[in-house]
Amino acid sequence: MLHKLLTVTSKPERIGIGIMSGTSVDGVDVAIVSVRGSGEELTYRQLAFDTVDIPQALRQQIFKQFNPEESSVDKLCSLNVEIGQLFSTAARTVVEKAGLRIEDIDFIGSHGQTIYHIPVDQHDTGLVKSTMQIGEASVLAEVFQCPVVSDFRVRDMAAGGEGAPLVPYVDHLLFRSDTENIALQNIGGIGNVTYLPKGGTTSDVIAFDTGPGNMIMDEAMNILTQGKSLFDKNGELAAEGTVHHGILKEWMDHPYFTLPVPKSTGRELFGAAFTRKLVDRMLEMGLSKADILATVTMFTAITIADQTKQFLPGEIDTLVVSGGGAYNATLLRFLMELGGFAVKTQEDLGFSSESKEAVAFAILANETLFGVPNNLPTATGAARQVVLGKLTV
């Protein structure tokens, strides 16, 4: 396998797979890319992309591990391998659908499934800054017989960072502009923004988590439909409702929104327990389902507009939205009403909103194989640039 690693890095063009399962746990994203070069000289082509469903029983088990009161070490141990097997099956499926062979794959970058993320030391509980992503990379390495880079976040945390966000390094490589200030807003379970000032270098990039993305909207839909619908397709129900601005002002008092950047967050702050309180409160106030969805959708839009206004040093010329939120027409409309800037999607630029993060982890893995530092201290708070990930060969 070490011989294969040397062979892979000597190739002028490499075929890699990026695998991503986000905080929403709504599917395994698999992107297949062809990559040339590394660092500022890197170019890539997307060869294939698909999202493979996560079986509902497995999804329920994963959600139990998010809750310290339900998590168990034996199930966590087992899930690490089960998710590795799921990733392997998903990757093999996409490879075959693309008309490729397992032997064609030169490397894999797997983000894993985040189980818990503690971005800063918690002195009141004694918990130290740490993060856990599972999905055993050895399973992927055995199935594909190629180098696998995984567990990207912990090296940044060891260097003093929060381990997130990591995609801004790739954003800089692919989207930097000499003529525009670009903000790239990913709206997955959590929202995160990357700011690329025109003509800037990696040291000028600013990135951080803006707060909830789809997470609260999805959980609210789950609660209101008693599990029959897991998300508000295209924001259709929210479009029928009326936003309750009074309660939004209360929600914006959450301490996360005044924390300085760089910062990151997750399900630990804005997950099911948080959403249940919001929904129960609105039901007590007599809000309809549509009004509740409209209000939580506006909450995501307002947090994005507020956080970019507070913490970005310059005006935004264009906000480019990716992730599942890019397909929520009501959310995009709210953003356009609030922002005062052009709102585009990845598709408007010839890219894919769905595949962006999976592509990013393939590119991050490529950089790791070449020993190129691939975190951005301005985004994560790390003391220095480091090479991310653990290599399984």
Side-chain angles (χ1 to χ4, degrees), residues 50-100:
D50 205 351
T51 299
V52 178
D53 289 341
I54 297 175
Q56 187 60 23
L58 180 59
R59 188 172 187 266
Q60 290 172 351
Q61 287 297 326
I62 293 169
F63 269 86
K64 284 186 177 181
Q65 301 312 303
F66 295 154
N67 185 347
E69 295 178 0
E70 293 186 89
S71 181
S72 62
V73 292
D74 56 346
K75 192 57 187 175
L76 193 58
C77 183
S78 177
L79 274 178
N80 181 45
V81 174
E82 291 178 61
I83 293 173
Q85 292 169 342
L86 173 69
F87 287 178
S88 297
T89 301
R92 188 201 294 261
T93 298
V94 178
V95 165
E96 291 173 353
K97 286 176 68 174
L100 297 170

Side-chain angles (χ1 to χ4, degrees), residues 141-328:
E142 184 61 28
V143 170
F144 283 86
Q145 292 292 300
C146 72
V148 178
V149 183
S150 63
D151 215 5
F152 288 86
R153 299 191 184 276
V154 291
R155 182 63 193 277
D156 179 84
M157 297 186 89
E162 293 196 3
L166 299 184
V167 173
Y169 173 86
V170 179
D171 286 338
H172 170 75
L173 292 183
L174 301 184
F175 297 101
R176 64 191 186 276
S177 168
D178 291 329
T179 59
E180 280 192 302
N181 296 325
I182 305 287
L184 297 145
Q185 178 71 46
N186 183 67
I187 307 177
I190 291 294
N192 51 74
V193 69
T194 302
Y195 180 67
L196 306 174
K198 58 186 176 183
T201 66
T202 54
S203 61
D204 299 311
V205 176
I206 295 173
F208 57 92
D209 287 353
T210 53
N214 300 315
M215 184 177 291
I216 293 176
M217 293 182 282
D218 291 351
E219 183 60 24
M221 194 69 174
N222 178 50
I223 293 168
L224 293 171
T225 64
Q226 297 181 322
K228 293 178 181 177
S229 296
L230 300 179
F231 65 101
D232 181 17
K233 186 177 181 181
N234 300 324
E236 292 171 358
L237 184 57
E240 298 174 6
T242 300
V243 174
H244 193 293
H245 289 279
I247 199 167
L248 280 174
K249 293 180 71 173
E250 295 177 20
W251 298 348
M252 289 304 296
D253 287 336
H254 192 288
Y256 181 77
F257 301 122
T258 56
L259 288 176
V261 299
K263 58 182 177 179
S264 61
T265 188
R267 189 171 294 281
E268 298 74 30
L269 279 188
F270 296 110
F274 181 84
T275 306
R276 170 61 72 176
K277 290 179 182 177
L278 302 190
V279 172
D280 286 348
R281 172 88 187 283
M282 287 186 284
L283 288 172
E284 289 172 4
M285 295 168 64
L287 272 65
S288 69
K289 291 180 181 179
D291 292 345
I292 291 172
L293 260 295
T295 304
V296 296
T297 301
M298 180 60 85
F299 184 38
T300 290
I302 282 181
T303 59
I304 292 169
D306 170 78
Q307 295 290 282
T308 53
K309 184 177 180 179
Q310 272 198 71
F311 297 113
L312 298 187
E315 295 293 323
I316 296 173
D317 293 314
T318 302
L319 182 79
V320 183
V321 180
S322 62
Y327 301 101
N328 185 321

Side-chain angles (χ1 to χ4, degrees), residues 117-138:
H117 183 68
I118 305 173
V120 296
D121 290 340
Q122 296 183 357
H123 300 293
D124 55 335
T125 63
L127 298 176
V128 300
K129 179 168 68 174
S130 51
T131 191
M132 175 177 282
Q133 286 75 42
I134 64 174
E136 183 51 58
S138 295

